[in-house]
Amino acid sequence: MVSITEQIETETSSIAIIILAAGASTRMGTPKQLLLYQGRSFVHHIAEIAIASVCKPVVIVLGANAEQIYPQIKQLPVQVAKNPDWACGMSASIKSGLELLNNLPQKIEAVVITLCDQPFVSTQIINQLVDAYYSSQKPIIACEYAGTLGVPALFSQRFFSELATLQETSGAKKVINNNLNEVFPLQFPLGNIDIDTPKDYEQLLLITKVTDEVQVNVSP
């Protein structure tokens, strides 16, 4: 049976994806977009995951440390939105990403919004958001983890104006909570893991190392 996402791949997809990567990483003490994970920087890692999904175009929003981060993605088939108001939080980055999409010639039916620092976001999760959007007929598909709903999340075009006028630093989660009756939840327990501090990063590297060792030991 052909999945919805496989059907979309044969057509011109009208579902975009915005990767928010404009933060200053103040708690980390160094740009976390540049931290290495699985042999690549965080921003390169999430960009490749998005590129491999059914979502097109892929938009990456840069702000703080943009000159350092841009070389990591300049060779990739992505579009970069600059957020001059990155210090205002994620809401300003969402607005910058949507402004870029609104200036494109193609009609964007919906958008997936995701972060740079959720290391377990996968192409499969992104495609499942799109599948659920078409199968559930709900205009918002949000990942569910740790008793909450959040990003990665998909929003139909009818919510673009609400997303673009957000004032809160909490970003897209505000729109999800304001429209709970319009939301279809997608289970993603590992979505609860994001990397904000050096301790978070050390734990991620430890988990990755242990997982790699287990895979090596069980391989034939």
Side-chain angles (χ1 to χ4, degrees):
M1 181 176 178
V2 178
S3 72
I4 294 169
T5 49
E6 286 173 330
Q7 293 175 31
I8 292 169
E9 285 180 327
T10 66
E11 305 167 1
T12 301
S13 175
S14 59
I15 297 184
I17 183 167
I18 296 174
I19 299 168
L20 306 181
S25 309
T26 51
R27 294 167 62 190
M28 182 64 67
T30 189
K32 59 185 172 184
Q33 298 93 328
L34 301 177
L35 294 176
L36 289 180
Y37 177 62
Q38 296 186 346
R40 296 161 294 180
S41 64
F42 268 157
V43 69
H44 191 114
H45 173 76
I46 187 62
E48 288 195 334
I49 283 170
I51 292 164
S53 78
V54 297
C55 296
K56 300 290 183 294
V58 175
V59 176
I60 301 181
V61 183
L62 299 182
N65 308 299
E67 290 184 0
Q68 292 175 256
I69 299 166
Y70 177 69
Q72 293 288 318
I73 55 174
K74 68 178 182 179
Q75 302 297 333
L76 299 176
V78 301
Q79 300 199 45
V80 176
K82 296 290 182 68
N83 174 18
D85 300 318
W86 56 265
C88 295
M90 284 189 286
S91 57
S93 289
I94 292 170
K95 181 179 179 180
S96 295
L98 288 174
E99 285 177 348
L100 188 153
L101 291 178
N102 286 334
N103 288 324
L104 296 178
Q106 70 261 46
K107 181 181 182 296
I108 304 299
E109 177 183 348
V111 65
V112 173
I113 296 176
T114 192
L115 306 177
C116 180
D117 64 350
Q118 287 176 294
F120 295 106
V121 171
S122 64
T123 298
Q124 181 183 20
I125 287 293
I126 294 170
N127 288 347
Q128 285 175 356
L129 289 169
V130 177
D131 268 338
Y133 170 66
Y134 286 112
S135 61
S136 73
Q137 298 296 302
K138 288 285 191 177
I140 300 176
I141 315 297
C143 286
E144 184 172 9
Y145 43 83
T148 190
L149 295 166
V151 295
L154 180 151
F155 300 86
S156 75
Q157 193 272 340
R158 63 185 265 204
F159 291 100
F160 285 9
S161 59
E162 187 174 347
L163 287 164
T165 54
L166 280 169
Q167 300 298 320
E168 286 79 5
T169 57
S170 57
K173 194 168 184 178
K174 182 76 172 179
V175 176
I176 294 170
N177 290 334
N178 283 348
N179 301 279
L180 288 176
N181 60 323
E182 303 277 19
V183 178
F184 180 87
L186 179 69
Q187 297 300 316
F188 178 37
L190 290 175
N192 190 46
I193 299 175
D194 58 10
I195 309 302
D196 290 322
T197 66
K199 184 177 180 181
D200 293 339
Y201 183 51
E202 290 171 10
Q203 291 177 336
L204 174 66
L205 295 181
L206 181 60
I207 291 170
T208 305
K209 180 180 179 183
V210 170
T211 303
D212 289 345
E213 289 176 350
V214 169
Q215 290 176 342
V216 168
N217 289 335
V218 298
S219 62

